[in-house]
Amino acid sequence: MKKSKSLYLLLACVSILFILHTLVKNYWIDPGASGFLSHKTGLKRELNLPVWLNVMYVHVAFACVAMASGLINFSNRILKKSRRLHRINGYVYIISVLLVVLTSGYMAPYATGGRISSIGFNLLNLLWLVITITALVQIKRKRISQHRHWMIRSYAFCFTNMLIHLITSLFHQGIGYGYPISYTIGVYGSIALLLVIPEIIIRINQNGKPSADTFPL
């Protein structure tokens, strides 16, 4: 129980800090995304900047909502206090994920790194959507333990942007690769990590957990 509480507190700190960083950066410091767009060279499709920016604003907003609502629903205290709130917030999460996937689908053809990166983003979108729907199906069938596991897998995708930029920085600034190739590595590297890390967390939670039907976080 103590380990689960510590894990939840760590998750909460990381999530809240990342949400604040994302909102400040995209809506205040660089609302025109000039820094990010400066790396988009050699695009085969003409980028309609006003439309792209508006889609990005929606994308960022609902990505933050998904991260916040997912974090709330991992709280065992909130689950015990109000299952109705947990259920409603779960649908907020699902709708947010759907909107993030749709907006990401629009932006994918303009991804830094070209076609290869675009394919990677489409793969990320497909995986996140399928995993999230699977989590919904599991709870509809009253499979609480399986629902929890699939939600852990789904929630991991809320950190896609963070992982992409961390890996990109490692290869671009740390190793010296060009930014486009570093970004492409970041996209596919994040896919691998987003599939592996949740499985590690699920196994850690299963070890020493008294019941398969309790929410550990």
Side-chain angles (χ1 to χ4, degrees), residues 136-171:
L136 176 62
V137 171
Q138 294 300 328
I139 197 59
K140 289 294 184 181
R141 295 178 178 176
K142 309 300 182 182
R143 298 173 180 172
I144 297 176
S145 180
Q146 290 301 314
H147 168 69
R148 181 182 64 250
H149 293 166
W150 283 102
M151 276 305 302
I152 290 173
R153 295 181 180 111
S154 174
Y155 191 68
F157 280 77
C158 289
F159 297 90
T160 298
N161 187 263
M162 178 190 294
L163 287 175
I164 289 175
H165 287 288
L166 284 175
I167 297 171
T168 300
S169 295
L170 173 63
F171 280 87

Side-chain angles (χ1 to χ4, degrees), residues 10-11 24 67 74 77 85 91 108 118-119 126 148 193 214:
L10 175 62
L11 178 66
V24 170
M67 182 172 282
F74 277 122
R77 181 179 300 177
L85 174 60
Y91 283 111
S118 297
I119 293 172
L126 180 61
R148 181 182 64 250
L193 290 175
T214 58

Side-chain angles (χ1 to χ4, degrees), residues 17-208:
L17 287 174
F18 186 67
I19 288 172
L20 291 174
H21 170 269
T22 301
L23 293 175
V24 170
K25 178 182 178 182
N26 289 281
Y27 294 106
W28 185 26
I29 296 177
D30 189 14
S34 57
F36 184 64
L37 290 172
S38 66
H39 298 290
K40 294 185 181 296
T41 58
L43 291 176
K44 294 184 178 181
R45 294 191 183 189
E46 183 179 355
L47 192 150
N48 186 323
L49 185 57
V51 174
W52 187 92
L53 284 174
N54 285 327
V55 172
M56 185 201 71
Y57 295 148
V58 174
H59 178 82
V60 169
F62 281 98
C64 291
V65 172
M67 182 172 282
S69 60
L71 177 66
I72 291 170
N73 263 14
F74 277 122
S75 171
N76 190 43
R77 181 179 300 177
I78 291 175
L79 174 64
K80 290 180 177 179
K81 186 176 181 180
S82 177
R83 288 185 177 274
R84 184 170 181 270
L85 174 60
H86 180 90
R87 183 171 60 254
I88 293 172
N89 192 49
Y91 283 111
V92 170
Y93 175 82
I94 292 171
I95 293 170
S96 298
V97 169
L98 179 60
L99 289 170
V100 171
V101 167
L102 289 174
T103 50
S104 179
Y106 169 82
M107 295 188 293
Y110 308 101
T112 303
R115 183 178 176 80
I116 298 178
S117 291
S118 297
I119 293 172
F121 273 112
N122 287 325
L123 177 58
L124 275 164
N125 293 334
L126 180 61
L127 286 170
W128 196 7
L129 190 59
V130 169
I131 289 171
T132 304
I133 292 173
T134 302
L136 176 62
V137 171
Q138 294 300 328
I139 197 59
K140 289 294 184 181
R141 295 178 178 176
K142 309 300 182 182
R143 298 173 180 172
I144 297 176
S145 180
Q146 290 301 314
H147 168 69
R148 181 182 64 250
H149 293 166
W150 283 102
M151 276 305 302
I152 290 173
R153 295 181 180 111
S154 174
Y155 191 68
F157 280 77
C158 289
F159 297 90
T160 298
N161 187 263
M162 178 190 294
L163 287 175
I164 289 175
H165 287 288
L166 284 175
I167 297 171
T168 300
S169 295
L170 173 63
F171 280 87
H172 179 56
Q173 299 177 358
I175 300 178
Y177 284 15
Y179 190 88
I181 185 64
S182 297
Y183 192 83
T184 302
I185 294 172
V187 172
Y188 286 93
S190 68
I191 293 175
L193 290 175
L194 291 170
L195 293 175
V196 171
I197 292 175
E199 301 306 319
I200 295 173
I201 293 173
I202 290 169
R203 291 198 176 192
I204 291 174
N205 282 337
Q206 285 179 326
N207 292 332

